Structure formats: structure tokens, C-alpha cells
Amino acid sequence: MTLGQFAVCFIAGMGAGLGTGFAGMSAAAVITPMLVTFLHMETYQAVGIALASDVLASAVSAYTYGKNKNLDVRNGLVMMVTVLAFTLVGSWVSSMVPSAAMGNFSVFMTLLLGVKFLVKPVMTAKAAMEGVSRKRQIVQSVLCGIMVGFICGFIGAGGGMMMLLALTSILGYELKTAVGTSVFIMTFTALTGSLSHFAIGGVADWVTLGLCIASTLLWARVAARFANRSTPKTLNRATGAVLVVLGVVILGVNYLA
């Protein structure tokens, strides 16, 4: 392990962890371009490492949100089943097409969603979620799960952003519950995605994998604890700021590549 490798993994994990803890953002949106640009790793392998880094980070974030009663397990399970199925489909398709085919999609989604939270914050109350019929929630969850799962498996990024957008804009969740439910689902989609990536392409670098997992887990824990103690207004601003900064940084990294 070199100092440069440690620095890249730590910084990548910090950005990914903050994005996960605040907004349920996929770690791959940050870690993948960092590993490809600065450690010259093959993109498909980098996506696998990034998805593996997502597993524990999303799990500890989901636990923190759940402990604060900001997690909807019942509806989350419906979306999760669909997302898991189409993550496998997306990962399989990803192995057969150019890896950069949709690479910029998640970057622009991150920027736009960040601006949305700053300009038009999500201030929905939990009571409003109870007004939607169970049948409608199931149909919406399945349709959203198909789209989110395929995106997550195909590019290893954008799934968390799409899920957060779907939960807040389509299913009408308030922000904390949306993020909590998102990271709960992402725990299992990231696990499925990483295992399928490693089964197809193998593990290239165990040291990089371990460093990225540790750093992402640390910063996701910090972000999730802060988010659950914040007011909705503060959380919207913090989430928006983190997403905008990460979007700009990722664009810069992609430009260097």
C-alpha cells in the first residue's frame, strides 16, 4: 500500500460516505471515477469495489435512520425485491457494453438533485405519507424499482439518486424517511451488485477494496448521525450542498480522466 493509494481511497470514501449518509447516494458515483482516474483501475472492477463499499455504509446508515424512526421497512421491501431483480439484469448488461456509456448520467443527476434540495426543499410531513393507498404505493414501488435497479446494476451509480427522487417526488416521502428507506434498499442492491460484478470480473485489488470500505463506512456513520439530529430545513440545505459539491468534484475528476 502506498501513501497515494491510501489518500485516494480515503478521500473517495469520505465523499461517498457523506453522500450515502445524507442522501442515500451510491458510493460508485464518487469512488469509481476516483479509482479509475488516480489509480488507473479498470472501470468494471472499480464499480465492483464501489458497490462493495456501499454495503456496510448503507447498512449502518439504515440502522441509524431506523433507530430514529425514519425508515419505512414495509414499503421499502416491495421496492427492494424489484430493485434486486433488475440490479442483476443491469449488471449483466453492463458487462457487455462500454462502461462509460451512461457514466455522466449519475453526475448530472447528483448536481440537479442537489440544486433541487437547495432551491425547493422537501418539507413533506410524515402524516402526508399515510394518505396514499396501499395499492397505489405497491404499483409505484414496483415501477420505480425496475428503473432504479437496472440503473444501479448497469452503471453502479445513480441508483441511490433515482431512488431518493422517486421516494420524495413520486411516493411523497418526507426527506429523512426517504433517505432512511433508500439506504435500507441500497444495502441489499449494493450487495447483489458487488457480488455479481466480482463473480463476473473477479477482485483486482483487496487493499483498495478494504480501504474504500473502511473510509466510506466511517463517513456514512458521521453523516447519518448528523442528518437524524437536524431539522428538515437544515437537512435539505446540508444534503443539497453535499450533492452539489460532490457533483462538481466528480465532473472535475471525469474531466481529468
Side-chain angles (χ1 to χ4, degrees):
M1 179 182 67
T2 65
L3 181 60
Q5 182 183 20
F6 175 82
V8 169
C9 293
F10 181 80
I11 294 172
M14 178 173 65
L18 291 175
T20 298
F22 275 120
M25 178 180 176
S26 172
V30 180
I31 292 179
T32 300
M34 290 284 288
L35 296 185
V36 171
T37 302
F38 298 108
L39 297 184
H40 309 294
M41 183 174 290
E42 196 273 326
T43 303
Y44 192 77
Q45 291 285 345
V47 170
I49 289 176
L51 286 172
S53 301
D54 240 343
V55 178
L56 290 179
S58 294
V60 75
S61 297
Y63 172 78
T64 302
Y65 278 92
K67 187 171 65 173
N68 289 276
K69 299 181 179 180
N70 292 314
L71 171 60
D72 187 353
V73 175
R74 187 182 68 172
N75 291 325
L77 285 172
V78 175
M79 184 182 289
M80 183 183 74
V81 172
T82 311
V83 170
L84 283 173
F86 279 83
T87 296
L88 289 172
V89 174
S91 182
W92 176 71
V93 173
S94 174
S95 68
M96 301 186 296
V97 301
S99 57
M102 291 179 64
N104 289 327
F105 173 80
S106 62
V107 181
F108 291 113
M109 176 61 69
T110 300
L111 276 171
L112 291 176
L113 199 55
V115 172
K116 176 188 179 298
F117 285 129
L118 289 174
V119 176
K120 189 179 180 181
V122 178
M123 301 301 289
T124 308
K126 287 188 178 181
M129 297 162 52
E130 300 174 358
V132 181
S133 69
R134 178 63 176 158
K135 181 178 179 180
R136 182 178 178 182
Q137 288 180 339
I138 292 175
V139 172
Q140 291 175 330
S141 296
V142 170
L143 293 176
C144 291
I146 291 173
M147 175 181 62
V148 171
F150 184 83
I151 291 173
C152 182
F154 184 68
I155 60 176
M161 294 294 92
M162 291 297 295
M163 197 177 304
L164 184 61
L165 184 62
L167 290 171
T168 54
S169 301
I170 299 176
L171 295 175
Y173 281 47
E174 55 88 30
L175 185 55
K176 288 184 182 180
T177 304
V179 176
T181 305
S182 177
V183 290
F184 169 73
I185 297 171
M186 287 300 293
T187 301
F188 299 97
T189 58
L191 176 62
T192 305
S194 61
L195 290 177
S196 60
H197 268 67
F198 292 149
I200 294 171
V203 181
D205 190 335
W206 287 98
V207 174
T208 298
L209 174 63
L211 290 173
C212 287
I213 289 176
S215 181
T216 306
L217 177 61
L218 169 65
W219 290 103
R221 173 65 171 162
V222 171
R225 293 186 66 180
F226 176 84
N228 280 277
R229 294 175 180 177
S230 302
T231 63
K233 186 175 182 180
T234 300
L235 180 57
N236 272 274
R237 288 178 175 175
T239 301
V242 167
L243 292 180
V244 169
V245 170
L246 287 177
V248 171
V249 171
I250 297 167
L251 277 177
V253 172
N254 286 339
Y255 178 77
L256 290 175

